[in-house]
Amino acid sequence: MCARQDRTQPARSSVGSVIPTTRLDIMSEAVAADPWPTLRALREQGPVVWHETYGRWLVTTDRAVRKVATNFARFTVEGTVVEEMFGADAFISMDDRRRHDDLRNVWAEAFRKQGLDRLRPAVERIVAGLMAPVAARLNDGEAVDLSQTLCRPIPTLVIALLMGVPDEALPDIVRWSDAMAAGGTTYLSETEAARARIAREAAKQGLADYLLALIAARRVRPGDDLVSVLVHAPAGAALPDDQLVQNLRQLLFAGNETTAKWLAHIFVTYGERGDTRRALVADRTLIPPANDEVMRWQGVVGTIVRRVRGGPIELAGVELADGAALTCLLAAANRDPDRYDDPDRFDLHRPARPNLGFGVGFHNCLGSVLAKMEAEIGVNALLDAEPDYAVAAPYAYSSVPMRGPMPVVVAHDRG
């Protein structure tokens, strides 16, 4: 996400060098389709670049992004589009470590590997149920849009299962999530930005109304779902309903939107790279690291935002003023040649090294282990059903801040 804030704030002094500046458009559909030349150009300008149009600093390298993301005392989420999108009382928006951890830890056990291992059979059943009609259609020679039949339904059904959301509510959940995602993106046109914000706020309210009813039901009749866990945990029981809603809304959004786009990247990558797909068919143990490489190489969350607090601070030789707005370009950092050899190349056997796809610091993704399990099960199921699939239609990308290909139409590879 890249918010249009503090557009008039001037660039401050740089330590021993000229401040690199840019007006490169990183929000257009053309850049979303192939962002890598633009992101490379920004990274080559320097680790910290002033964007004259956005009125904010762009952080471009792995090292600089990690410094920002792990120093929550000086680089805050508060007052950014994240807080605007999810609410000040959602733990993703909090830099107060104690409050953040009290809320996040309510669900931490459910998202640890041991807890998710118990969920695995249910996820396998969900994926198998979704895959059966897909396999039948592929076997009949049809082309199938996996974005509608697998990418979106897999994480939506899984997070709905965890939260106790009934199937009939899922179309609304998806619609609200899509509008929230679109409303968190910067648009160069103020008219577009206003329209997206209106749609986002309406979606947030629709989801809030639904969650309020769910909270009331779980207070009376608790279950073993994540809504019940939060409502009846000491940290949750002390919260008013609006704060409960903010945290549940964040969880529901993250649990389906980002994973759906990652699955789309994965299926497209393997559908276009026959050598990679055949290697995975032959050795299924390669699937988890291959999926991680897709996350590094393409990525879903291309940007995170922060704001300087507590006075001026130096970052990579550039002095940033108190209150300065930053956009950390995770997509650029994940192809940083100082961290990865030949970073623009997809390498199935790249030595393991954590990338920034799931974030870093205490605002890293709570559901990363769950997303990895869903992706592994989903890829295995597709390769079982159709090991020789290929991408069969053009696709487009949403945006750099929240990026995924759509549609993902595949068919049997007759080549």
Side-chain angles (χ1 to χ4, degrees):
M1 299 173 191
C2 182
R4 297 162 65 88
Q5 303 177 53
D6 291 351
R7 193 177 287 259
T8 59
Q9 179 177 327
R12 301 298 181 181
S13 62
S14 177
V15 180
S17 63
V18 176
I19 298 172
T21 64
T22 187
R23 291 187 178 182
L24 283 173
D25 176 8
I26 61 173
M27 293 295 140
S28 69
E29 289 183 6
V31 172
D34 183 18
W36 316 116
T38 300
L39 295 177
R40 185 185 311 115
L42 288 169
R43 194 176 55 237
E44 289 173 353
Q45 280 191 265
V48 184
V49 179
W50 175 253
H51 201 294
E52 295 177 347
T53 307
Y54 300 146
R56 56 175 43 240
W57 297 97
L58 306 181
V59 185
T60 69
T61 64
D62 178 271
R63 182 184 295 273
V65 168
R66 289 176 188 273
K67 284 185 176 180
V68 171
T70 56
N71 187 355
F72 61 89
R74 298 303 311 278
F75 298 101
T76 180
V77 180
E78 296 171 2
T80 70
V81 70
V82 173
E83 182 178 89
E84 185 181 323
M85 184 171 178
F86 294 108
D89 294 299
F91 66 78
I92 194 175
S93 306
M94 294 178 183
D95 292 318
D96 181 321
R97 188 63 184 255
R98 184 190 60 77
R99 287 184 66 214
H100 169 277
D101 287 356
D102 282 350
L103 284 168
R104 180 180 168 119
N105 287 342
V106 169
W107 291 319
E109 182 59 36
F111 285 99
R112 291 193 180 100
K113 184 179 184 305
Q114 295 87 338
L116 293 176
D117 282 345
R118 295 190 292 272
L119 181 67
R120 189 180 186 96
V123 177
E124 289 174 339
R125 287 193 296 272
I126 287 171
V127 173
L130 293 169
M131 186 62 69
V134 171
R137 292 173 62 190
L138 289 172
N139 289 338
D140 286 343
E142 287 188 51
V144 181
D145 181 4
L146 299 185
S147 60
Q148 300 300 320
T149 55
L150 292 179
C151 300
R152 172 64 84 174
I154 289 173
T156 302
L157 288 171
V158 171
I159 196 64
L161 173 67
L162 283 168
M163 296 185 72
V165 174
D167 290 351
E168 58 268 22
L170 297 183
D172 284 334
I173 298 296
V174 168
R175 178 170 55 83
W176 290 324
S177 295
D178 286 346
M180 286 177 63
T185 299
T186 293
Y187 295 87
L188 294 180
S189 161
E190 293 292 354
T191 302
E192 275 188 63
R195 187 182 302 120
R197 283 195 293 269
I198 291 169
R200 180 192 68 198
E201 292 307 307
K204 285 170 58 179
Q205 188 58 54
L207 187 49
D209 291 343
Y210 176 79
L211 289 171
L212 282 169
L214 202 57
I215 288 167
R218 295 300 184 267
R219 281 203 176 106
V220 175
R221 186 173 295 178
D224 57 0
D225 56 87
L226 297 182
V227 178
S228 298
V229 169
L230 178 62
V231 167
H232 293 279
L239 296 180
D241 283 356
D242 64 325
Q243 294 184 26
L244 291 172
V245 163
Q246 288 178 34
N247 283 279
L248 290 168
R249 186 168 55 198
Q250 168 202 331
L251 184 67
L252 198 53
F253 172 87
N256 75 81
E257 190 72 30
T258 53
T259 306
K261 286 180 167 57
W262 186 31
L263 284 168
H265 279 304
I266 288 169
F267 292 148
V268 164
T269 299
Y270 303 158
E272 291 183 335
R273 305 179 67 84
D275 55 343
T276 297
R277 190 180 65 252
R278 287 186 288 273
L280 299 180
V281 170
D283 183 357
R284 300 303 178 91
T285 66
L286 292 174
I287 290 175
N291 291 348
D292 285 346
E293 174 69 348
V294 173
M295 179 63 85
R296 181 201 69 81
W297 188 60
Q298 291 292 342
V300 174
V301 180
T303 64
I304 58 172
V305 291
R306 295 290 188 270
R307 186 175 289 277
V308 176
R309 68 172 168 190
I313 187 171
E314 181 187 329
L315 177 66
V318 176
E319 184 179 294
L320 310 178
D322 186 45
L326 289 79
T327 293
C328 296
L329 300 176
L330 304 189
N334 275 338
R335 293 199 180 195
D336 186 343
D338 287 341
R339 184 170 177 84
Y340 306 102
D341 292 334
D342 197 5
D344 290 327
R345 179 170 61 91
F346 179 87
D347 185 354
L348 179 60
H349 301 288
R350 185 178 296 278
R353 195 165 195 190
N355 64 67
L356 294 166
F358 287 106
V360 67
F362 79 87
H363 282 303
N364 67 329
C365 178
L366 173 65
S368 61
V369 178
L370 174 61
K372 290 180 180 184
M373 182 175 73
E374 292 170 354
E376 179 190 354
I377 293 170
V379 171
N380 267 300
L382 180 58
L383 294 181
D384 285 342
E386 180 50 89
D388 296 318
Y389 81 91
V391 175
Y395 51 84
Y397 288 96
S398 42
S399 69
V400 171
M402 184 69 73
R403 185 171 179 268
M406 191 174 179
V408 183
V409 179
V410 305
H412 178 74
D413 185 1
R414 301 184 185 282

